[in-house]
Amino acid sequence: MPARVSIALSDQWGINVAGYNGYNNVVDNNDAKTIALGVTHKQTDKLTAAILYVGGVERADGAPEGAPWRHLLDAHATWHITPTLSVLAHVNGGFERNHFGISKWLAGAAYARYQVASSLALAMRGDVFREDTAVNADGAASAPISVL
């Protein structure tokens, strides 16, 4: 059963700790649990940043890759340049050491938003994603991340 606790340490700092049945799947594929640990810092009303670690066994029971612990690190920062213009930078990456070697991925995104009127905003987004699956003489691992 999922559980999450968020604690405001001050007006600027917050932490959260969570336990999940899994991530990136609507229906869990094994009995293992996933943990998440995060920190948020709001430097000013204009700048906020957060970093999150997520880890757990995410392969299906009986997968040829085994039951490796998957690690994910996610970070993002939002800057409200003016009351009408904001930008966000986001990066995440992760890896798992499985029976075929190390599967890994890295992704990044940038967003911009301009508030044209009280009920109208324009937004842009660009992102990149790279994934490398482990391969050895015994075969190849399936992709750890199929959809972000």
PDB file of all heavy atoms in Angstrom, residues 3 7 13-14 18-19 22 36 38 42-44 51 55 79 85 89 91 98 105 111 122 124 139 142 147:
ATOM      1  N   ALA A   3       2.363   4.969   0.616  1.00  0.00           N
ATOM      2  CA  ALA A   3       2.311   5.922   1.727  1.00  0.00           C
ATOM      3  C   ALA A   3       3.305   7.036   1.448  1.00  0.00           C
ATOM      4  O   ALA A   3       4.363   6.793   0.859  1.00  0.00           O
ATOM      5  CB  ALA A   3       2.648   5.224   3.029  1.00  0.00           C
ATOM      6  N   ILE A   7       7.110  16.915   4.947  1.00  0.00           N
ATOM      7  CA  ILE A   7       7.357  17.723   6.136  1.00  0.00           C
ATOM      8  C   ILE A   7       7.978  19.045   5.713  1.00  0.00           C
ATOM      9  O   ILE A   7       9.001  19.062   5.022  1.00  0.00           O
ATOM     10  CB  ILE A   7       8.305  16.991   7.116  1.00  0.00           C
ATOM     11  CG1 ILE A   7       7.695  15.656   7.538  1.00  0.00           C
ATOM     12  CG2 ILE A   7       8.600  17.867   8.334  1.00  0.00           C
ATOM     13  CD1 ILE A   7       8.662  14.741   8.253  1.00  0.00           C
ATOM     14  N   TRP A  13      12.542  25.127   3.178  1.00  0.00           N
ATOM     15  CA  TRP A  13      12.942  23.728   2.993  1.00  0.00           C
ATOM     16  C   TRP A  13      11.807  22.764   3.311  1.00  0.00           C
ATOM     17  O   TRP A  13      11.074  22.956   4.271  1.00  0.00           O
ATOM     18  CB  TRP A  13      14.130  23.384   3.892  1.00  0.00           C
ATOM     19  CG  TRP A  13      15.390  24.046   3.485  1.00  0.00           C
ATOM     20  CD1 TRP A  13      15.893  25.225   3.972  1.00  0.00           C
ATOM     21  CD2 TRP A  13      16.312  23.599   2.506  1.00  0.00           C
ATOM     22  NE1 TRP A  13      17.074  25.526   3.356  1.00  0.00           N
ATOM     23  CE2 TRP A  13      17.358  24.552   2.445  1.00  0.00           C
ATOM     24  CE3 TRP A  13      16.358  22.495   1.665  1.00  0.00           C
ATOM     25  CZ2 TRP A  13      18.443  24.409   1.578  1.00  0.00           C
ATOM     26  CZ3 TRP A  13      17.439  22.364   0.804  1.00  0.00           C
ATOM     27  CH2 TRP A  13      18.454  23.302   0.768  1.00  0.00           C
ATOM     28  N   GLY A  14      11.720  21.722   2.509  1.00  0.00           N
ATOM     29  CA  GLY A  14      10.765  20.660   2.756  1.00  0.00           C
ATOM     30  C   GLY A  14      11.359  19.325   2.352  1.00  0.00           C
ATOM     31  O   GLY A  14      12.247  19.258   1.497  1.00  0.00           O
ATOM     32  N   ALA A  18       8.526   8.479   0.839  1.00  0.00           N
ATOM     33  CA  ALA A  18       7.379   7.711   0.359  1.00  0.00           C
ATOM     34  C   ALA A  18       7.757   6.255   0.118  1.00  0.00           C
ATOM     35  O   ALA A  18       8.918   5.929  -0.111  1.00  0.00           O
ATOM     36  CB  ALA A  18       6.842   8.329  -0.930  1.00  0.00           C
ATOM     37  N   GLY A  19       6.746   5.425   0.143  1.00  0.00           N
ATOM     38  CA  GLY A  19       6.873   4.023  -0.230  1.00  0.00           C
ATOM     39  C   GLY A  19       5.754   3.696  -1.204  1.00  0.00           C
ATOM     40  O   GLY A  19       4.608   4.106  -1.008  1.00  0.00           O
ATOM     41  N   GLY A  22       5.383   0.434  -6.780  1.00  0.00           N
ATOM     42  CA  GLY A  22       6.248   0.486  -7.942  1.00  0.00           C
ATOM     43  C   GLY A  22       6.087   1.826  -8.614  1.00  0.00           C
ATOM     44  O   GLY A  22       5.329   2.674  -8.158  1.00  0.00           O
ATOM     45  N   ALA A  36      11.040   6.502  -2.073  1.00  0.00           N
ATOM     46  CA  ALA A  36      11.359   7.813  -2.646  1.00  0.00           C
ATOM     47  C   ALA A  36      11.735   8.752  -1.515  1.00  0.00           C
ATOM     48  O   ALA A  36      11.094   8.759  -0.461  1.00  0.00           O
ATOM     49  CB  ALA A  36      10.166   8.361  -3.422  1.00  0.00           C
ATOM     50  N   GLY A  38      12.882  12.910  -1.101  1.00  0.00           N
ATOM     51  CA  GLY A  38      13.008  14.159  -1.831  1.00  0.00           C
ATOM     52  C   GLY A  38      13.243  15.351  -0.934  1.00  0.00           C
ATOM     53  O   GLY A  38      12.866  15.359   0.239  1.00  0.00           O
ATOM     54  N   LYS A  42      12.821  26.408  -1.625  1.00  0.00           N
ATOM     55  CA  LYS A  42      12.239  27.601  -2.232  1.00  0.00           C
ATOM     56  C   LYS A  42      13.096  28.774  -1.780  1.00  0.00           C
ATOM     57  O   LYS A  42      12.951  29.281  -0.667  1.00  0.00           O
ATOM     58  CB  LYS A  42      10.787  27.777  -1.787  1.00  0.00           C
ATOM     59  CG  LYS A  42      10.099  28.948  -2.431  1.00  0.00           C
ATOM     60  CD  LYS A  42       8.640  29.002  -2.023  1.00  0.00           C
ATOM     61  CE  LYS A  42       7.963  30.168  -2.706  1.00  0.00           C
ATOM     62  NZ  LYS A  42       6.561  30.294  -2.295  1.00  0.00           N
ATOM     63  N   GLN A  43      14.016  29.182  -2.657  1.00  0.00           N
ATOM     64  CA  GLN A  43      14.947  30.238  -2.280  1.00  0.00           C
ATOM     65  C   GLN A  43      14.228  31.573  -2.130  1.00  0.00           C
ATOM     66  O   GLN A  43      14.452  32.297  -1.173  1.00  0.00           O
ATOM     67  CB  GLN A  43      16.059  30.353  -3.317  1.00  0.00           C
ATOM     68  CG  GLN A  43      17.119  31.353  -2.938  1.00  0.00           C
ATOM     69  CD  GLN A  43      18.279  31.326  -3.898  1.00  0.00           C
ATOM     70  OE1 GLN A  43      18.376  30.478  -4.753  1.00  0.00           O
ATOM     71  NE2 GLN A  43      19.173  32.274  -3.764  1.00  0.00           N
ATOM     72  N   THR A  44      13.369  31.875  -3.094  1.00  0.00           N
ATOM     73  CA  THR A  44      12.563  33.097  -3.071  1.00  0.00           C
ATOM     74  C   THR A  44      11.237  32.759  -3.741  1.00  0.00           C
ATOM     75  O   THR A  44      11.022  31.631  -4.166  1.00  0.00           O
ATOM     76  CB  THR A  44      13.235  34.239  -3.857  1.00  0.00           C
ATOM     77  OG1 THR A  44      13.288  33.872  -5.234  1.00  0.00           O
ATOM     78  CG2 THR A  44      14.643  34.540  -3.350  1.00  0.00           C
ATOM     79  N   ILE A  51      15.015  17.980  -5.629  1.00  0.00           N
ATOM     80  CA  ILE A  51      15.757  16.791  -6.037  1.00  0.00           C
ATOM     81  C   ILE A  51      15.070  15.589  -5.393  1.00  0.00           C
ATOM     82  O   ILE A  51      14.602  15.666  -4.260  1.00  0.00           O
ATOM     83  CB  ILE A  51      17.255  16.885  -5.654  1.00  0.00           C
ATOM     84  CG1 ILE A  51      18.040  15.743  -6.295  1.00  0.00           C
ATOM     85  CG2 ILE A  51      17.436  16.940  -4.158  1.00  0.00           C
ATOM     86  CD1 ILE A  51      19.530  15.959  -6.311  1.00  0.00           C
ATOM     87  N   GLY A  55      14.095   4.522  -5.620  1.00  0.00           N
ATOM     88  CA  GLY A  55      14.807   3.254  -5.776  1.00  0.00           C
ATOM     89  C   GLY A  55      13.940   2.068  -5.409  1.00  0.00           C
ATOM     90  O   GLY A  55      13.092   2.154  -4.520  1.00  0.00           O
ATOM     91  N   TRP A  79      12.136  29.031 -12.357  1.00  0.00           N
ATOM     92  CA  TRP A  79      12.492  30.435 -12.165  1.00  0.00           C
ATOM     93  C   TRP A  79      11.373  31.287 -12.739  1.00  0.00           C
ATOM     94  O   TRP A  79      11.098  31.229 -13.938  1.00  0.00           O
ATOM     95  CB  TRP A  79      13.816  30.727 -12.847  1.00  0.00           C
ATOM     96  CG  TRP A  79      14.301  32.133 -12.743  1.00  0.00           C
ATOM     97  CD1 TRP A  79      14.009  33.051 -11.775  1.00  0.00           C
ATOM     98  CD2 TRP A  79      15.196  32.779 -13.640  1.00  0.00           C
ATOM     99  NE1 TRP A  79      14.659  34.225 -12.015  1.00  0.00           N
ATOM    100  CE2 TRP A  79      15.404  34.088 -13.164  1.00  0.00           C
ATOM    101  CE3 TRP A  79      15.846  32.383 -14.803  1.00  0.00           C
ATOM    102  CZ2 TRP A  79      16.223  34.998 -13.802  1.00  0.00           C
ATOM    103  CZ3 TRP A  79      16.656  33.287 -15.441  1.00  0.00           C
ATOM    104  CH2 TRP A  79      16.855  34.585 -14.946  1.00  0.00           C
ATOM    105  N   LEU A  85       6.382  35.603 -17.012  1.00  0.00           N
ATOM    106  CA  LEU A  85       7.314  34.703 -17.702  1.00  0.00           C
ATOM    107  C   LEU A  85       8.020  33.797 -16.705  1.00  0.00           C
ATOM    108  O   LEU A  85       8.619  34.271 -15.736  1.00  0.00           O
ATOM    109  CB  LEU A  85       8.350  35.495 -18.497  1.00  0.00           C
ATOM    110  CG  LEU A  85       9.402  34.673 -19.250  1.00  0.00           C
ATOM    111  CD1 LEU A  85       8.752  33.804 -20.318  1.00  0.00           C
ATOM    112  CD2 LEU A  85      10.447  35.599 -19.854  1.00  0.00           C
ATOM    113  N   ALA A  89      13.861  24.026 -15.782  1.00  0.00           N
ATOM    114  CA  ALA A  89      14.840  23.056 -16.293  1.00  0.00           C
ATOM    115  C   ALA A  89      14.668  21.778 -15.488  1.00  0.00           C
ATOM    116  O   ALA A  89      14.495  21.823 -14.261  1.00  0.00           O
ATOM    117  CB  ALA A  89      16.254  23.591 -16.136  1.00  0.00           C
ATOM    118  N   VAL A  91      15.998  17.533 -15.228  1.00  0.00           N
ATOM    119  CA  VAL A  91      16.879  16.451 -15.654  1.00  0.00           C
ATOM    120  C   VAL A  91      16.619  15.237 -14.761  1.00  0.00           C
ATOM    121  O   VAL A  91      16.331  15.385 -13.579  1.00  0.00           O
ATOM    122  CB  VAL A  91      18.373  16.874 -15.616  1.00  0.00           C
ATOM    123  CG1 VAL A  91      18.827  17.181 -14.207  1.00  0.00           C
ATOM    124  CG2 VAL A  91      19.262  15.836 -16.248  1.00  0.00           C
ATOM    125  N   ASN A  98      21.836  -5.302 -13.786  1.00  0.00           N
ATOM    126  CA  ASN A  98      21.062  -6.544 -13.923  1.00  0.00           C
ATOM    127  C   ASN A  98      21.949  -7.682 -14.428  1.00  0.00           C
ATOM    128  O   ASN A  98      23.154  -7.491 -14.579  1.00  0.00           O
ATOM    129  CB  ASN A  98      19.839  -6.309 -14.821  1.00  0.00           C
ATOM    130  CG  ASN A  98      20.206  -5.795 -16.192  1.00  0.00           C
ATOM    131  OD1 ASN A  98      20.972  -6.423 -16.912  1.00  0.00           O
ATOM    132  ND2 ASN A  98      19.659  -4.627 -16.554  1.00  0.00           N
ATOM    133  N   TRP A 105      19.760   5.348 -18.283  1.00  0.00           N
ATOM    134  CA  TRP A 105      19.065   6.344 -19.081  1.00  0.00           C
ATOM    135  C   TRP A 105      19.326   7.737 -18.518  1.00  0.00           C
ATOM    136  O   TRP A 105      19.707   7.907 -17.372  1.00  0.00           O
ATOM    137  CB  TRP A 105      17.559   6.067 -19.126  1.00  0.00           C
ATOM    138  CG  TRP A 105      16.868   6.218 -17.812  1.00  0.00           C
ATOM    139  CD1 TRP A 105      16.223   7.329 -17.343  1.00  0.00           C
ATOM    140  CD2 TRP A 105      16.777   5.251 -16.779  1.00  0.00           C
ATOM    141  NE1 TRP A 105      15.727   7.114 -16.089  1.00  0.00           N
ATOM    142  CE2 TRP A 105      16.052   5.823 -15.714  1.00  0.00           C
ATOM    143  CE3 TRP A 105      17.217   3.943 -16.642  1.00  0.00           C
ATOM    144  CZ2 TRP A 105      15.779   5.155 -14.533  1.00  0.00           C
ATOM    145  CZ3 TRP A 105      16.933   3.274 -15.462  1.00  0.00           C
ATOM    146  CH2 TRP A 105      16.223   3.871 -14.439  1.00  0.00           C
ATOM    147  N   TYR A 111      11.301  24.081 -20.214  1.00  0.00           N
ATOM    148  CA  TYR A 111       9.951  24.594 -20.415  1.00  0.00           C
ATOM    149  C   TYR A 111       9.973  26.112 -20.288  1.00  0.00           C
ATOM    150  O   TYR A 111      10.758  26.667 -19.515  1.00  0.00           O
ATOM    151  CB  TYR A 111       8.994  24.085 -19.335  1.00  0.00           C
ATOM    152  CG  TYR A 111       8.989  22.612 -19.103  1.00  0.00           C
ATOM    153  CD1 TYR A 111       9.981  21.986 -18.358  1.00  0.00           C
ATOM    154  CD2 TYR A 111       7.964  21.819 -19.614  1.00  0.00           C
ATOM    155  CE1 TYR A 111       9.956  20.625 -18.128  1.00  0.00           C
ATOM    156  CE2 TYR A 111       7.937  20.458 -19.389  1.00  0.00           C
ATOM    157  CZ  TYR A 111       8.934  19.870 -18.641  1.00  0.00           C
ATOM    158  OH  TYR A 111       8.909  18.517 -18.410  1.00  0.00           O
ATOM    159  N   LEU A 122       0.834  31.016 -23.062  1.00  0.00           N
ATOM    160  CA  LEU A 122       1.544  30.282 -24.115  1.00  0.00           C
ATOM    161  C   LEU A 122       2.676  29.513 -23.459  1.00  0.00           C
ATOM    162  O   LEU A 122       3.343  30.032 -22.568  1.00  0.00           O
ATOM    163  CB  LEU A 122       2.109  31.247 -25.154  1.00  0.00           C
ATOM    164  CG  LEU A 122       1.100  32.131 -25.883  1.00  0.00           C
ATOM    165  CD1 LEU A 122       1.844  33.120 -26.782  1.00  0.00           C
ATOM    166  CD2 LEU A 122       0.136  31.292 -26.689  1.00  0.00           C
ATOM    167  N   MET A 124       5.983  26.463 -24.114  1.00  0.00           N
ATOM    168  CA  MET A 124       6.852  25.691 -25.009  1.00  0.00           C
ATOM    169  C   MET A 124       7.585  24.651 -24.164  1.00  0.00           C
ATOM    170  O   MET A 124       7.857  24.881 -22.989  1.00  0.00           O
ATOM    171  CB  MET A 124       7.887  26.593 -25.676  1.00  0.00           C
ATOM    172  CG  MET A 124       7.322  27.595 -26.624  1.00  0.00           C
ATOM    173  SD  MET A 124       8.547  28.748 -27.298  1.00  0.00           S
ATOM    174  CE  MET A 124      10.069  27.886 -27.265  1.00  0.00           C
ATOM    175  N   GLY A 139      22.711 -12.404 -23.687  1.00  0.00           N
ATOM    176  CA  GLY A 139      21.558 -11.739 -24.297  1.00  0.00           C
ATOM    177  C   GLY A 139      21.493 -10.274 -23.942  1.00  0.00           C
ATOM    178  O   GLY A 139      22.489  -9.672 -23.544  1.00  0.00           O
ATOM    179  N   SER A 142      15.719  -6.087 -21.458  1.00  0.00           N
ATOM    180  CA  SER A 142      14.661  -5.251 -22.053  1.00  0.00           C
ATOM    181  C   SER A 142      14.816  -3.841 -21.501  1.00  0.00           C
ATOM    182  O   SER A 142      15.466  -3.628 -20.466  1.00  0.00           O
ATOM    183  CB  SER A 142      13.279  -5.825 -21.741  1.00  0.00           C
ATOM    184  OG  SER A 142      13.068  -5.879 -20.358  1.00  0.00           O
ATOM    185  N   VAL A 147       8.223   4.280 -21.173  1.00  0.00           N
ATOM    186  CA  VAL A 147       7.500   5.542 -21.318  1.00  0.00           C
ATOM    187  C   VAL A 147       7.762   6.350 -20.047  1.00  0.00           C
ATOM    188  O   VAL A 147       7.605   5.853 -18.956  1.00  0.00           O
ATOM    189  CB  VAL A 147       5.979   5.318 -21.455  1.00  0.00           C
ATOM    190  CG1 VAL A 147       5.250   6.634 -21.507  1.00  0.00           C
ATOM    191  CG2 VAL A 147       5.690   4.491 -22.690  1.00  0.00           C
TER     192      VAL A 147
END
